[in-house]
Amino acid sequence: LRQTNPLFLQEEELQQGIELLFFANRDLTNVSNEFLEKDGIGRAHHRVLHFVSRHKGISVTKLLRFLGITKQSLSRVLTQLIDEEFIEQKKSQNDGRQRHLYITAKGSLFERKISNPQLKRIARAYRKAGAEAVENYRKVLIEMVDEEEHDEIINFLEKNK
């Protein structure tokens, strides 16, 4: 890849950026597919396990908002994860209508098994790119998120540092 000046990006560089995101996402998800398929768990299940694992006690409402999926889709995935004892759901002590999600020990082991190949791939890419590139990549990703969500997502990410 050639060096580009970000102040003068042409459509071709932008199109390549989209394509690189597609390729990176394809390969990042593919490294864990064998575990998912073997256990009958889909990518949606993995995303839920990831967020519940990293954000203990996350509310169903917040999870819905962050995943950007319908209540019906989340309900189907959550029901399976709860039935298979990967996640437990507890009512809020302050508001009985609100439900909070927690990963179980079984769920945590499974989530790590799925995520470890992805973590290794990201670590390799970060090492090769260098610290400055990693920080700049993080900035680029944040800027791709809807602007009104920037602060909430940054705070969300910072909570787990």
Side-chain angles (χ1 to χ4, degrees):
L1 293 172
R2 69 180 201 268
Q3 294 290 333
T4 58
N5 181 341
L7 299 177
F8 301 102
L9 289 173
Q10 301 295 313
E11 183 174 346
E12 181 57 25
E13 280 96 14
L14 300 173
Q15 292 289 358
Q16 284 181 7
I18 291 170
E19 289 172 350
L20 286 169
L21 282 171
F22 286 144
F23 293 136
N25 184 58
R26 176 199 66 195
D27 293 346
L28 188 63
T29 55
N30 281 346
V31 297
S32 295
N33 279 349
E34 70 176 89
F35 300 117
L36 295 172
E37 291 167 5
K38 187 176 75 174
D39 290 292
I41 301 288
R43 288 184 182 154
H45 297 79
H46 181 210
R47 284 189 294 274
V48 169
L49 283 168
H50 170 84
F51 277 102
V52 173
S53 174
R54 298 245 321 131
H55 306 278
K56 290 160 186 43
I58 189 170
S59 70
V60 172
T61 304
K62 186 173 270 193
L63 185 60
L64 268 171
R65 199 168 70 248
F66 284 154
L67 293 177
I69 60 176
T70 65
K71 248 185 201 179
Q72 185 178 5
S73 294
L74 181 59
S75 178
R76 182 182 50 78
V77 168
L78 268 181
T79 298
Q80 183 179 356
L81 292 172
I82 291 168
D83 287 350
E84 293 185 25
E85 299 179 346
F86 289 120
I87 288 177
E88 63 182 351
Q89 179 176 257
K90 297 179 183 176
K91 284 186 179 181
S92 171
Q93 292 178 349
N94 302 332
D95 183 350
R97 296 169 297 171
Q98 218 178 45
R99 296 170 295 148
H100 294 274
L101 304 171
Y102 300 87
I103 196 146
T104 64
K106 177 183 176 182
S108 185
L109 283 172
F110 185 70
E111 195 279 329
R112 295 300 295 174
K113 181 171 76 170
I114 299 168
S115 293
N116 277 340
Q118 294 177 330
L119 292 170
K120 287 177 184 175
R121 184 170 287 249
I122 290 172
R124 184 191 74 210
Y126 279 3
R127 269 193 310 277
K128 286 184 176 184
E132 185 177 347
V134 170
E135 183 54 31
N136 287 334
Y137 178 66
R138 184 177 185 270
K139 289 176 185 174
V140 167
L141 291 176
I142 289 169
E143 289 302 323
M144 282 195 271
V145 171
D146 287 340
E147 199 168 331
E148 61 271 5
E149 287 189 285
H150 283 190
D151 290 341
E152 183 178 14
I153 288 177
I154 290 168
N155 289 335
F156 187 71
L157 295 171
E158 294 295 321
K159 274 197 331 194
N160 279 334
K161 272 193 164 182

